[in-house]
Amino acid sequence: MLVFWVIGAYNRLVALRMAIGSAWAQFEEPFARREQIVGPLAVQLRAPLDGEHSALDALVVALAQARSAADAVRARPVRPAALATFQAREAQLTAALARVQALAEQSTAAHEDVATAELLAQLGEAQLRMAAARRWFNDAAAAYDAAIAQWPTRLLVPLFRFNRAGRL
């Protein structure tokens, strides 16, 4: 009976850990969509924001760093260290994006351009989808963490090297 319990508990923890991977895949979809929008947006804003190329360059660099960090998380989405790096890169990207959006709002040429307005609207939608996917990921990580903290399942944690999951 003990063997069956161990097998069942192990399978439950693995399934919960796999749910975190699935939730990460759901997060990556709007993240990639935002990435597809930010590149053309930076190009589109080069002319209207002629004196602010440093802000656009910082946005492109932050986007590349966030993509690199996201690729590292994809390999093992339960690793808190990789998620912490991703969060730091995401914060840099969010700050750079907020600066560019503020500059675009101040620029009459950018504000009146239909293509730029469309890209900014798509960007807002992608950000909302990312927020929802982030909540789903954090819920999956919380369910996994709760399962490894429960007694007697927590007896298996050191045996099979289950670790707490990070959050977005």
Side-chain angles (χ1 to χ4, degrees):
M1 187 137 126
L2 180 63
V3 170
F4 288 118
W5 172 81
V6 168
I7 291 170
Y10 176 83
N11 286 340
R12 177 173 163 247
L13 293 176
V14 168
L16 288 169
R17 189 169 55 192
M18 289 177 68
I20 294 172
S22 176
W24 175 256
Q26 293 298 319
F27 176 81
E28 266 198 309
E29 181 184 323
F31 179 81
R33 178 66 185 134
R34 182 181 68 178
E35 188 176 25
Q36 293 170 351
I37 295 166
V38 169
L41 181 64
V43 171
Q44 187 86 16
L45 290 172
R46 284 275 175 201
L49 301 180
D50 190 35
E52 298 293 341
H53 284 224
S54 63
L56 294 169
D57 293 340
L59 176 62
V60 171
V61 168
L63 183 64
Q65 290 175 340
R67 169 46 54 200
S68 175
D71 290 343
V73 171
R74 184 184 315 123
R76 265 192 92 198
V78 294
R79 279 195 346 217
L83 285 167
T85 301
F86 175 76
Q87 284 179 319
R89 299 294 185 245
E90 179 70 15
Q92 291 171 346
L93 176 58
T94 301
L97 194 54
R99 181 163 185 237
V100 168
Q101 284 178 309
L103 290 170
E105 287 292 324
Q106 293 173 355
S107 170
T108 56
H111 197 32
E112 293 173 353
D113 185 32
V114 175
T116 302
E118 178 65 28
L119 286 171
L120 288 170
Q122 290 176 8
L123 181 62
E125 181 182 319
Q127 302 259 54
L128 289 174
R129 290 180 57 212
M130 280 180 60
R134 180 178 281 118
R135 280 191 300 274
W136 187 28
F137 179 90
N138 289 338
D139 288 347
Y144 172 77
D145 285 348
I148 65 171
Q150 292 174 347
W151 197 88
T153 307
R154 70 176 164 197
L155 298 174
L156 299 179
V157 170
L159 182 65
F160 294 109
R161 298 181 190 209
F162 288 107
N163 297 315
R164 294 181 58 83
R167 303 288 194 283
L168 287 178

